[in-house]
């Protein structure tokens, strides 16, 4: 080993705790990046493999009832490669031992052979025996949630009749990676399940023999124009049969959620790691500058011995490289572990029959590369000022530092300040840039804490708004088909029902110029109390004008403003198209929805006064009995409990967010500690001579500690408001990056979040202070007097 | 050089008394003897010069007297107190109350002005001299609000002396106070020390390898290789202003 390399290793070893602190900050950034990229890459690769292997379709369409011979016409649409027709029905399920309402979807599998599209992956058991009517495959999460095993039985309530089903296999499908039921945000396998039955038997049970009500197809290529054309053709073919409008893969529910999740991962996986890497580079730069300044005479001596500027430059760059390499190593290791843990969590909610780990090497290389380049530039900047001096000059000590009375003192505070207080202020004001950078560095730690916790605050707010302000029913009932309005009275008559409000929803395609969007129009009574439309200030909006109210996001997507006219294509018989004026937009938080006053909607659809569901407020004591009564009503397709939905979402968030929160907390502490500890060590090495002098003339350890830590304290305290501000800005940025059709998170920060952030930063300061204070006790009083500065 | 006479104690109770003081530094695997059983007494109001080449142990001696270091063996007393047994806190208190230090490299706080550097000490002392007065004593009353970087080395060293005496220390310990200075500034600094000793009566010990300085002392102690080789009392003191080297 060359002598200079030995020097490198020993220098690093001498400041090992600082090196480690910086390497940890570097590693935090890289770990986050590797984690996000690993989860993103693995999910994407896994999804692609799953979709290909199990033939996930490109276009999906539902209809009322289509004769089987139409399949040929669909197959003949130009560009269609494969067609799969099916019978799909929504049912109410009766799982032995479960009193809560459980809903499900029964999907047909071909009588013989595997489906050409949307194949199922068998996890346990066997495929269906076409000769046995009662056999069913059940979705994996549903089976897990209810502890269902092969051979177990449950019942589908079909037209008020209990159809027994025997579980012979447990399956997954690319259609239900994110297996949510209607109206759900988060899969709730306790209350909603997917089941597969043989086509013949399912058709028989639902009077669908000789026909189908669901079709999926794949296209020859993935060009958008082909997709659009195929959808138009398919809609035209299905029109006479109650076609509900075809949707592309992008709008397929499970895929859409998965896609949203991947986009979020991709966005988050870049932003946050970059912040960490920036902070780490800053730290590295400061420490390196200081090291170089201290080694000024050594550098001069080495130059005098004949080492070139280049060689010395390389020497200090290596310094930075070692730190980054250490951080990269730690970060990649930690990132891979975290990615695996995160994937484990994802696999709980996004179900795949296979998992392909895929961490993009290029993104890791880019992260490490960016860290290296930033560190190298910092190192070169630090070395340049020293190597540019002629050796003889560099061997003399640097000129004494010039100080001046700080601004604060000049403003009149001087006479109130003790000499140690003046030292602190002047040290800080002598290097305002560095003090500023330290403040910014610590502020970042606080900001990251704020971001981590504020996401939780936003989610809480979202749920509060959704489940206490918007939805105030206890349970909602949906019907198979629209029923007469008088059903409201029937429901109201049930004992235990306190209040009933009808709901009415129609599937519709909104069009404005060439833009279009498939959605549901919800009809609400002007005086609706159980489900309301609220504006951004959570005030209920009265729907008393004829016309459409849209989510702001939806209006933006369609590029329409209040007063504009939209074309509404109603996804029902004949798909009539009507003109409707947009009367208002509403900044709602969940989903993208269209609302109309119920009477206006009825006139628009030109049908009898029917309702598609109802919201109920009930007496909780009567809950169980009511479930039974409702399930037994032939018209009832499903019953959803608000409390169950809320609980389910909360569990999901806790599962998902608590891990992210812990990771965030850990990394915020690392940054806070990294910055504060390094700042403390640097001020210690810069002022150790002064502090030792003070000790010699009789200052106690406590007194000199307060000088050193006073500086640290001022930096930390100054960083706190900035950190909170930065955090607020970052959370606003993160929330807008999170904005999707799925939800818009409100930017709310609980005061506790600010408190926790400030406390974390102060705690990190306390630990750093304690560590550095021990160094103060080791000051060599004699040595410092014998050496010149 | 002034005539020299054998040292005889003039005061009954010494300020400092050292008995068999030994100091061993362990440098890696080597033991270095800085002091090898030194016996010494310093008396009230004396101006003592400790003379010796580098490595003779004079700085170690001064550090032990000043409470910056403890002997490996032997006993050191300051008036009635035992410095060799004192703990860290007691030594800090001792330095704070009784000792004034002047160092070769001044050790001023660069971020504080001359006045503030002195105030640093007067703020924690019981019965201090006003910083302005202390600075006037060393001839710096026109430099009160200058920062160290705005002063010459001699001026900085005089600030250090003012800082050392402002607490009215019982002893003033100076380690090569002129070591970093040219002759004319060095003499100004020595003049300041002389003045403090004569006007305030502060017991003063100056260590130096510059034999010329011994002319201004009451007593000159020479050290070599960790032992006292001579201890003589000057019959007449030469004023600092007339010293040359």
């Amino acid at each position: 080993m060359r002598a200079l390399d030995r020097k490198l290793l020993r220098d690093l070893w001498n400041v090992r705790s600082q090196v480690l602190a910086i390497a940890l900050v570097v590693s935090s950034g890289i770990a986050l990046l590797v984690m996000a990229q690993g989860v993103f890459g693995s999910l994407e690769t896994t999804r692609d493999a799953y979709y290909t292997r199990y033939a996930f379709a490109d276009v999906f369409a539902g209809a009322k009832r289509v004769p089987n011979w139409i399949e040929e016409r669909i197959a003949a649409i130009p560009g269609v490669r494969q067609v799969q027709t099916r019978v799909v029905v929504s049912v109410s399920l009766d799982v032995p031992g479960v009193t809560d309402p459980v809903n499900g979807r029964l999907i047909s599998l071909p009588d013989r052979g595997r489906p050409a599209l949307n194949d199922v992956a068998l996890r346990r058991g066997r495929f269906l025996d076409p000769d046995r009517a009662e056999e069913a495959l059940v979705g994996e999460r549903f089976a897990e949630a209810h502890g269902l095993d092969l051979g177990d039985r449950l019942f589908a309530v079909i037209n008020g009749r209990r159809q027994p089903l025997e579980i012979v296999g447990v399956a997954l499908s690319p259609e239900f990676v994110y297996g949510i039921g209607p109206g759900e945000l988060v899969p709730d396998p306790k209350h909603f399940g997917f089941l597969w039955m043989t086509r013949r038997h399912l058709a028989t049970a639902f009077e669908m023999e000789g026909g189908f009500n669901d079709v999926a197809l794949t296209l020859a290529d993935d060009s958008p124009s082909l997709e659009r054309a195929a959808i138009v053709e398919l809609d035209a073919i299905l029109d006479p049969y109650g076609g509900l409008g075809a949707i592309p893969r992008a709008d397929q529910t499970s895929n859409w959620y998965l896609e949203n999740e991947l986009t979020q991962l991709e966005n988050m996986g870049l932003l946050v790691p970059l912040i960490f890497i920036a902070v780490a580079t800053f730290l590295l730069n400061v420490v390196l500058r200081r090291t170089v300044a201290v080694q000024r005479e050594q550098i001069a001596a080495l130059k005098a011995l004949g080492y070139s500027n280049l060689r010395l430059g390389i020497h200090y760059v290596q310094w930075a490289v070692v730190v980054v390499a250490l951080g990269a190593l730690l970060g990649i290791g930690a990132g891979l572990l975290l990615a695996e843990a995160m994937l484990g969590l994802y696999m709980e909610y996004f179900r795949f029959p296979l998992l392909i780990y895929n961490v993009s090497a290029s993104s890791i290389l880019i992260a490490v590369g960016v860290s290296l380049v930033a560190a190298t530039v910092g190192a070169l900047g630090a070395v340049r000022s020293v190597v540019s001096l002629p050796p003889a000059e560099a061997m003399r000590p640097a000129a004494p530092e010039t100080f001046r009375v700080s601004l604060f003192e000049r403003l009149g505070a001087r006479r109130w300040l003790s000499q140690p207080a003046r030292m602190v202020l002047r040290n800080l004001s002598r290097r305002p840039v560095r003090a500023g950078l330290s403040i910014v560095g610590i502020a970042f730690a606080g900001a990251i804490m704020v971001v981590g916790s504020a996401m939780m605050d936003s989610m809480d707010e979202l749920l509060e708004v959704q489940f206490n302000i918007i939805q105030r029913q206890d349970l909602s009932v949906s019907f198979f088909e629209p029923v007469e309005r008088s059903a409201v009275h029937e429901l109201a008559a049930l004992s235990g029902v306190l209040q009933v409000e009808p709901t009415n929803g129609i599937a519709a395609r909104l069009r404005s110029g060439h833009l279009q969007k498939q959605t549901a129009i919800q009809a609400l009574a002007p005086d609706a109390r159980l489900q309301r439309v609220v504006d951004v200030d959570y005030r209920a909006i009265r729907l008393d004008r004829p016309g459409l109210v849209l989510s702001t996001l939806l209006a933006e997507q369609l590029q329409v403003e209040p007063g504009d006219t939209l074309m509404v294509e109603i996804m029902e018989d004949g798909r009539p198209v009507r003109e409707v004026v947009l009367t208002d937009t509403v900044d709602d938080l969940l989903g993208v929805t269209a609302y109309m006053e119920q009477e206006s909607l009825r006139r628009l659809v030109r049908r009898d006064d029917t309702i598609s569901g109802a919201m109920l407020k009930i007496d909780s004591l009567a809950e169980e009995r009511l479930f039974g009564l409702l399930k037994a009503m032939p018209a009832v397709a499903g019953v959803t409990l608000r409390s169950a939905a809320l609980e389910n979402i909360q569990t999901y968030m806790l599962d998902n967010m608590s891990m992210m929160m812990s990771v965030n907390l850990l990394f915020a502490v690392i940054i806070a500690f990294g910055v504060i500890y390094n700042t403390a060590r640097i001020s210690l090495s810069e002022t150790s001579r002064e502090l030792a002098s003070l000790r010699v003339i009789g200052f106690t350890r406590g007194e000199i500690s307060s000088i050193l830590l006073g500086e640290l304290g001022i930096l930390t305290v100054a960083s706190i408001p900035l950190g909170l501000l930065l955090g607020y800005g970052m959370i606003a940025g993160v929330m807008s990056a999170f904005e999707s059709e799925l939800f818009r998170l409100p930017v709310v920060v609980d005061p506790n979040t600010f408190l926790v952030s400030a406390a974390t930063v102060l705690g990190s300061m306390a630990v750093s202070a304690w560590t550095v204070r021990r160094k103060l006790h080791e000051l060599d009083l004699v040595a410092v007097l014998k050496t010149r500065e | 050089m002034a005539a020299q006479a054998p040292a005889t104690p003039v005061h009954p109770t010494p300020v400092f008394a050292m008995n068999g003081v030994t100091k061993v530094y362990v440098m890696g695997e080597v033991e270095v003897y800085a002091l090898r059983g030194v016996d010494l007494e310093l008396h009230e109001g004396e101006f003592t010069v400790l003379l010796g080449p580098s490595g003779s142990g004079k700085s170690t001696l001064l550090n032990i007297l000043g409470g910056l270091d403890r002997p490996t063996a032997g006993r050191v007393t300051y008036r009635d107190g035992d410095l060799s047994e004192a703990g860290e806190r007691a030594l800090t208190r001792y330095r704070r109350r009784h000792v004034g230090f002047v160092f070769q490299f001044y050790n001023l706080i660069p971020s504080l002005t001359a006045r503030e550097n002195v105030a640093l000490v007067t703020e924690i002392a019981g019965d201090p001299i006003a910083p302005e007065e202390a600075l006037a004593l060393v001839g710096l009353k026109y430099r009160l609000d200058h920062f160290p970087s705005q002063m010459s080395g001699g001026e900085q060293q005089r600030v250090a002396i003012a800082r050392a005496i402002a607490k009215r220390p019982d002893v003033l310990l100076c380690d090569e106070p002129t070591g970093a200075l040219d002759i004319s500034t060095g003499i100004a600094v020595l003049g300041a020390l002389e003045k403090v000793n004569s006007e305030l009566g502060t017991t003063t010990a100056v260590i130096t390898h510059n034999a010329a300085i011994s002319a201004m002392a009451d007593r000159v102690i020479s050290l070599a290789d960790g032992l006292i080789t001579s201890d003589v009392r000057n019959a007449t003191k030469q004023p600092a202003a007339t010293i040359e080297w």
Side-chain angles (χ1 to χ4, degrees):
Chain A
M1 191 185 279
R2 285 164 180 273
L4 211 52
D5 296 328
R6 278 180 207 280
K7 165 174 153 28
L8 176 70
L9 291 182
R10 283 181 200 151
D11 285 351
L12 286 170
W13 182 249
N14 283 336
V15 287
R16 58 192 174 275
S17 46
Q18 276 169 280
V19 165
L20 189 68
I22 302 168
L24 278 175
V25 178
V26 174
S27 74
S28 304
I30 292 177
L32 270 181
L33 188 120
V34 170
M35 177 185 86
Q37 294 296 332
V39 173
F40 173 75
S42 302
L43 279 181
E44 198 180 36
T45 312
T46 302
R47 175 200 65 186
D48 291 347
Y50 188 21
Y51 282 1
T52 308
R53 203 173 299 174
Y54 291 88
F56 188 48
D58 292 328
V59 175
F60 302 78
K64 258 206 158 59
R65 188 181 190 286
V66 193
N68 279 342
W69 58 270
I70 294 294
E71 185 175 342
E72 270 176 51
R73 282 183 55 198
I74 296 173
I77 296 172
V80 168
R81 180 179 284 163
Q82 269 178 310
V83 179
Q84 178 71 56
T85 63
R86 301 186 298 189
V87 174
V88 176
V89 289
S90 294
V91 292
S92 179
L93 293 171
D94 204 341
V95 184
V98 178
T99 52
D100 270 16
V102 183
N103 304 313
R105 188 168 301 158
L106 295 178
I107 302 139
S108 74
L109 289 175
D111 295 344
R112 304 264 172 244
R114 318 251 15 89
L117 299 177
N118 301 328
D119 196 2
V120 293
L122 196 64
R123 305 283 279 169
R124 283 190 290 142
R126 58 167 173 82
F127 282 106
L128 303 169
D129 179 346
D131 296 326
R132 301 179 53 154
E134 293 183 358
E135 284 190 2
L137 300 181
V138 60
E140 187 176 55
R141 282 206 73 194
F142 186 75
E144 285 171 5
H146 290 287
L148 294 174
D149 217 335
L150 303 179
D152 284 355
R153 290 180 145 243
L154 65 159
F155 302 87
V157 183
I158 300 167
N159 292 328
R161 184 171 51 83
R162 276 158 52 100
Q163 156 93 31
L165 297 172
E166 187 197 340
I167 297 168
V168 298
V170 175
L172 289 174
S173 156
E175 269 183 292
F176 312 117
V177 172
Y178 193 72
I180 58 170
E184 286 177 0
L185 287 173
V186 172
D188 184 0
K190 268 198 136 25
H191 298 94
F192 191 88
F194 298 95
L195 294 96
W196 290 265
M197 282 177 71
T198 310
R199 167 93 169 250
R200 175 149 56 102
H201 303 300
L202 189 58
T204 308
F206 286 88
E207 288 146 21
M208 200 61 79
E209 293 106 325
F212 59 89
N213 65 357
D214 183 278
V215 60
L217 46 88
T218 45
L219 300 170
D221 62 62
D222 52 7
S223 77
S225 56
L226 177 61
E227 186 182 86
R228 263 200 305 276
I231 286 176
V232 169
E233 291 258 352
L234 183 59
D235 280 351
I237 293 172
L238 296 179
D239 255 0
Y241 308 103
L244 300 173
I247 55 164
R249 180 193 274 197
D251 286 343
Q252 197 264 350
T253 311
S254 157
N255 182 66
W256 180 81
Y257 276 91
L258 184 51
E259 209 53 50
N260 264 304
E261 193 68 39
L262 284 170
T263 310
Q264 272 174 24
L265 269 175
E266 204 177 15
N267 292 342
M268 295 302 295
L270 221 60
L271 187 68
V272 180
L274 282 182
I275 294 173
F276 277 86
I277 289 170
V279 172
T281 310
F282 154 71
L283 280 182
L284 198 54
N285 197 341
V286 171
V287 173
L288 210 54
R289 265 176 202 282
R290 182 58 208 168
T291 307
V292 169
V294 167
Q295 298 195 346
R296 178 189 164 99
E297 289 170 48
Q298 293 183 32
I299 293 170
L302 288 168
K303 279 184 72 172
L305 291 175
Y307 279 94
S308 67
N309 286 348
L310 180 68
R311 184 66 191 88
L312 289 173
I314 290 171
H315 174 68
Y316 287 97
V317 168
Q318 279 172 333
W319 214 101
V321 168
V322 169
V323 177
V324 172
L326 186 65
L329 222 62
L330 283 171
I332 291 172
L336 289 175
L337 285 176
L338 282 173
E340 207 177 319
M342 277 299 274
L343 275 172
L345 261 176
Y346 269 105
M347 291 296 137
E348 189 56 37
Y349 291 92
F350 294 85
R351 282 297 168 108
F352 299 91
L354 60 151
L355 176 56
I356 302 168
Y357 284 99
N358 179 8
V359 186
S360 136
S362 62
S363 62
I364 297 175
L365 284 179
I366 288 169
V368 176
V370 167
S371 311
L372 273 179
V373 169
T376 303
V377 169
L380 287 176
V383 176
R384 202 179 48 218
S385 60
V386 176
V387 293
S388 62
L389 290 176
E393 197 178 318
M395 273 202 262
R396 283 198 294 276
E401 307 214 30
T402 45
F403 281 88
R404 49 187 303 203
V405 177
S406 67
L407 179 68
F408 186 59
E409 293 170 86
R410 274 177 276 148
L411 289 176
R414 188 171 185 177
R415 71 182 113 158
W416 309 108
L417 295 170
S418 68
Q419 308 311 321
R422 293 182 197 189
M423 285 174 67
V424 169
L425 284 179
R426 290 176 198 174
N427 277 335
L428 286 173
S429 64
R430 211 190 100 66
R431 297 188 195 80
V433 175
R434 205 179 70 197
L437 286 174
S438 296
I439 290 173
V440 171
I442 304 169
F444 265 118
I448 285 169
M449 278 305 297
V450 170
V451 171
S453 316
M455 295 197 27
M456 220 46 169
D457 297 342
S458 293
M459 288 285 195
D460 283 345
E461 176 83 356
L462 177 75
L463 293 188
E464 165 67 23
V465 172
Q466 186 64 24
F467 288 94
N468 282 323
I469 299 177
I470 296 178
Q471 295 186 7
R472 305 197 296 182
Q473 83 283 11
D474 293 320
L475 55 85
S476 49
V477 173
S478 62
F479 302 120
F480 284 107
E481 303 207 304
V483 300
E484 291 202 8
R485 180 168 284 273
S486 59
V488 170
H489 303 301
E490 278 175 52
L491 289 171
L494 296 173
S495 94
V497 174
L498 304 176
Q499 199 180 343
V500 182
E501 270 176 21
T503 55
N504 227 334
I506 56 162
R509 204 177 268 161
L510 305 181
R511 291 207 303 245
S512 166
H514 66 288
L515 299 166
Q516 63 171 36
K517 195 75 200 167
Q518 185 116 3
T519 184
I521 300 179
Q522 272 195 10
L524 294 172
D527 56 350
R529 300 198 49 79
L530 295 183
Q531 165 135 33
R532 308 183 299 173
V533 183
V534 299
D535 66 12
V536 71
D537 298 317
Y538 311 144
R539 278 191 302 259
I541 291 178
R542 248 182 97 80
L543 291 175
D544 46 10
R545 284 187 291 169
L548 207 53
V549 174
L550 294 184
S551 298
T552 307
L553 187 66
L554 189 52
E556 277 166 15
Q557 286 173 345
L558 291 168
Q559 295 174 11
V560 286
E561 287 175 8
D564 292 352
T565 302
L566 288 120
M567 305 303 286
V568 175
E569 184 181 349
I570 296 156
M571 295 295 158
E572 288 188 353
D573 284 356
R575 285 191 297 117
V577 178
R578 310 262 194 270
E579 283 190 0
V580 186
V581 175
L582 177 66
T583 52
D584 209 350
T585 60
V586 52
D587 278 314
D588 52 3
L589 301 173
L590 272 177
V592 282
T593 326
Y595 306 93
M596 270 183 98
E597 192 277 315
Q598 58 185 15
E599 192 51 32
S600 323
L601 182 69
R602 195 182 64 78
R603 280 199 300 272
L604 188 75
V605 184
R606 291 174 198 154
R607 70 175 176 209
D608 302 334
D609 196 4
T610 56
I611 59 172
S612 59
M615 303 278 184
L616 272 62
K617 195 125 193 108
I618 61 167
D619 176 355
S620 57
L621 293 175
E623 198 178 80
E624 224 167 277
R625 198 174 40 79
L626 264 177
F627 292 161
L629 288 173
L630 288 170
K631 246 191 251 185
M633 295 175 103
V636 172
V639 179
T640 310
L641 259 181
R642 187 189 64 150
S643 59
L646 178 60
E647 196 187 305
N648 187 49
I649 294 181
Q650 281 169 333
T651 313
Y652 170 78
M653 277 172 31
L654 210 64
D655 274 7
N656 236 320
M657 305 287 277
S658 59
M659 165 139 177
M660 272 317 287
M661 289 274 297
S662 326
V663 170
N664 252 320
L665 176 71
L666 176 70
F667 289 169
V669 168
I670 287 176
I671 283 206
F673 186 75
V675 178
I676 299 174
Y677 178 70
N678 269 299
T679 306
R681 284 299 301 268
I682 290 166
S683 3
L684 174 63
S685 78
E686 280 173 356
T687 53
S688 61
R689 186 184 162 79
E690 288 173 40
L691 298 178
S693 303
L694 293 179
R695 284 282 286 132
V696 167
I697 63 177
F699 277 72
T700 62
R701 282 175 180 167
E703 283 164 342
I704 61 163
S705 301
S706 66
I707 294 177
L708 181 69
L709 304 182
E711 191 176 327
L712 207 57
I714 289 177
L715 292 175
T716 308
V717 169
S719 82
I720 287 175
L722 181 64
L724 302 186
L725 217 63
L726 256 176
Y728 195 82
M730 276 161 72
I731 192 74
V734 167
M735 288 312 163
S736 74
F738 254 130
E739 183 172 299
S740 69
E741 294 185 15
L742 185 51
F743 52 74
R744 274 80 56 201
L745 285 172
V747 180
V748 281
V749 184
D750 192 282
N752 275 332
T753 295
F754 284 139
L755 281 181
V756 168
S757 158
T760 308
V761 170
L762 288 174
S764 305
M765 189 198 90
V767 175
S768 309
W770 181 76
T771 321
V772 172
R773 195 160 180 248
R774 287 183 33 211
K775 293 263 168 209
L776 272 182
H777 291 184
E778 294 160 11
L779 276 183
D780 188 340
L781 302 191
V782 175
V784 83
L785 303 175
K786 277 290 166 192
T787 51
R788 60 183 185 182
E789 201 142 8
Chain B
M1 190 174 281
Q4 293 184 346
T8 44
V10 273
H11 300 285
T13 46
V15 179
F16 287 107
M18 291 183 127
N19 285 307
V21 168
T22 298
K23 179 69 188 179
V24 184
Y25 291 108
V26 180
M27 315 279 275
E29 289 164 20
V30 190
E31 289 192 340
V32 177
Y33 277 78
L35 294 174
R36 303 168 185 268
V38 171
D39 298 319
L40 176 69
E41 287 183 352
L42 293 180
H43 299 279
E44 196 79 53
E46 260 182 357
F47 191 117
T48 308
V49 165
L50 292 155
L51 203 58
S54 61
S56 60
K58 58 188 192 304
S59 288
T60 306
L61 188 70
L62 194 81
N63 290 338
I64 290 173
L65 290 179
L68 292 175
D69 212 346
R70 281 190 208 88
T72 314
R75 196 171 129 88
V76 184
T77 54
Y78 166 76
R79 299 197 194 278
D80 300 326
D82 189 341
L83 293 181
S84 41
E85 296 295 317
E88 168 60 37
R89 270 171 204 282
L91 285 181
T92 301
R93 203 162 49 236
Y94 162 66
R95 292 198 301 268
R96 189 171 183 141
R97 291 192 186 152
H98 304 294
V99 187
F101 276 107
V102 177
F103 307 103
Q104 181 176 4
F105 300 110
Y106 334 131
N107 289 69
L108 297 180
I109 304 300
S111 58
L112 298 180
T113 61
R115 190 208 307 259
E116 289 165 343
N117 261 289
V118 180
L120 202 55
V121 167
T122 58
E123 280 174 3
I124 61 168
D127 173 30
I129 308 174
E132 295 76 11
E133 204 182 312
L135 285 162
L137 198 63
V138 296
L140 283 177
K141 64 178 169 188
Y142 300 111
R143 294 296 223 179
L144 294 178
D145 292 318
H146 286 66
F147 283 96
S149 61
Q150 297 165 323
M151 290 185 281
S152 71
E155 286 171 331
Q156 289 186 55
Q157 190 60 299
R158 282 186 281 155
V159 174
I161 294 170
R163 184 175 71 178
I165 59 158
K167 68 167 94 160
R168 299 185 202 275
D170 295 311
V171 291
L172 186 57
L173 301 175
C174 312
D175 191 348
E176 299 278 12
T178 60
L181 302 174
D182 61 49
I183 186 162
S184 58
T185 41
I187 282 169
V189 166
L190 293 176
L193 289 176
E194 184 180 57
K195 195 173 172 193
V196 168
N197 178 246
S198 62
E199 289 183 14
L200 302 178
T202 313
T203 308
T204 304
V206 175
I207 62 172
T208 179
H209 62 273
N210 185 348
I213 295 174
S214 56
M216 65 180 285
D218 290 313
R219 188 178 167 198
V220 181
I221 298 169
S222 300
L223 282 109
D225 207 15
L227 288 170
I228 292 177
T229 53
S230 77
D231 184 351
V232 293
R233 184 160 290 279
N234 283 339
T236 53
K237 289 203 281 184
Q238 194 181 335
T242 62
I243 290 174
E244 284 180 15
W245 65 82

